[in-house]
């Protein structure tokens, strides 16, 4: 991302924090960046939706770098899956810009969430795929499990945990046990 686009994404982040996503206008972002609306459109032809996508993707890239450091500490693939899911869910809930994908205030107000979801999905798939490819090569995956599908399954588990509050509340220990049995257990050879 070039400097001008980065400055506009910075301005959008500041406006989202100040006004909320649903109430932030393109004019707000232009004013915060000290540019005209035309300048914003020059760098983000899709307008506000494209800027929201830019915010989410930049945060997503930064998050995946921290997730990589986190899962590299784990000794087993099973532990990396469980701890990676736990870390991701907690981090997204704390990160206002990544949480945009799941915010009720945004749903229905913008088409950017669909684009952000797709782009973030692809970014995450690109992160997870090599982990599962290596696991498949080393015989750690259950028979019939393909790396691409395993990456999608873990991502869908994360998305489900982020978007659906229930039906049960679990302690962190019980959540780990649940993920170990049903998420990692579906993928990793025992």
């Amino acid at each position: 991302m070039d400097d001008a686009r980065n400055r506009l994404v910075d301005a959008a982040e500041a406006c989202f924090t100040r006004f909320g996503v649903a109430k932030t206008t393109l004019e707000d972002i232009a004013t915060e960046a000290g540019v005209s609306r035309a300048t914003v459109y020059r760098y983000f032809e899709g307008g506000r939706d494209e800027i929201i996508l830019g915010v989410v993707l930049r945060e997503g890239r930064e998050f995946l770098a921290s997730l990589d450091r986190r899962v590299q500490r784990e000794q087993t693939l099973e532990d990396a899956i469980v701890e990676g899911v736990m870390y991701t869910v907690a981090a997204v809930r704390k990160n206002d810009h990544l949480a945009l994908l799941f915010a009720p205030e945004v749903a229905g107000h913008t088409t950017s969430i669909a684009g952000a979801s797709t782009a973030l999905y692809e970014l995450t798939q690109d992160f997870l795929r090599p982990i599962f490819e290596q696991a498949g090569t080393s015989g750690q995956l259950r028979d019939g499990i393909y790396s691409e599908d395993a990456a999608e399954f873990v991502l869908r588990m994360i998305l489900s945990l982020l978007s659906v509050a229930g039906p049960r509340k679990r302690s962190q220990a019980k959540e780990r046990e649940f993920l170990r049995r049903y998420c990692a257990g579906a993928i990793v050879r025992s």
Side-chain angles (χ1 to χ4, degrees):
M1 193 180 290
D2 65 27
D3 287 343
R5 284 180 63 90
N6 266 326
R7 281 197 341 267
L8 290 169
V9 169
D10 290 342
E13 285 181 343
C15 290
F16 295 162
T17 300
R18 188 175 317 126
F19 307 121
V21 178
K23 293 182 181 175
T24 296
T25 66
L26 206 56
E27 188 66 36
D28 294 329
I29 295 168
T31 300
E32 179 73 25
V35 299
S36 68
R37 283 174 47 112
T39 300
V40 176
Y41 278 113
R42 186 174 323 128
Y43 291 97
F44 293 94
E45 291 176 9
R48 187 175 168 280
D49 288 346
E50 191 176 335
I51 291 174
I52 291 172
L53 177 60
V55 168
V56 170
L57 288 179
R58 183 168 73 180
E59 291 289 327
R61 285 184 197 97
E62 290 171 5
F63 170 74
L64 288 175
S66 72
L67 177 61
D68 186 48
R69 290 187 298 273
R70 176 65 185 90
V71 298
Q72 292 300 325
R73 297 191 315 226
E74 299 304 324
Q75 298 298 312
T76 67
L77 177 61
E78 184 178 67
D79 290 340
I81 292 169
V82 171
E83 295 308 317
V85 170
M86 294 287 292
Y87 179 81
T88 299
V89 170
V92 170
R93 286 182 178 152
K94 289 179 194 171
N95 183 307
D96 293 338
H97 301 120
L98 287 176
L100 291 176
L101 292 172
F102 308 97
E105 74 168 50
V106 176
H109 288 283
T110 179
T111 58
S112 66
I113 298 308
S117 296
T118 300
L120 199 56
Y121 176 83
E122 290 169 2
L123 188 67
T124 306
Q125 279 284 85
D126 290 344
F127 170 78
L128 290 172
R129 187 178 307 109
I131 294 169
F132 288 115
E133 285 173 352
Q134 192 278 328
T137 301
S138 64
Q140 296 177 66
L141 300 182
R142 287 180 173 273
D143 292 339
I145 299 294
Y146 301 101
S147 58
E148 188 83 15
D149 294 337
E152 180 180 350
F153 179 75
V154 170
L155 181 56
R156 287 183 178 276
M157 177 64 78
I158 291 167
L159 294 173
S160 174
L161 291 169
L162 285 167
S163 57
V164 180
R168 296 183 183 163
K169 296 277 187 196
R170 292 184 173 92
S171 67
Q172 281 194 345
K174 291 289 186 186
E175 190 79 12
R176 277 186 176 84
E177 183 180 312
F178 176 80
L179 291 170
R180 187 169 306 285
R181 178 171 290 141
Y182 296 106
C183 184
I187 298 169
V188 178
R189 182 183 306 276
S190 47

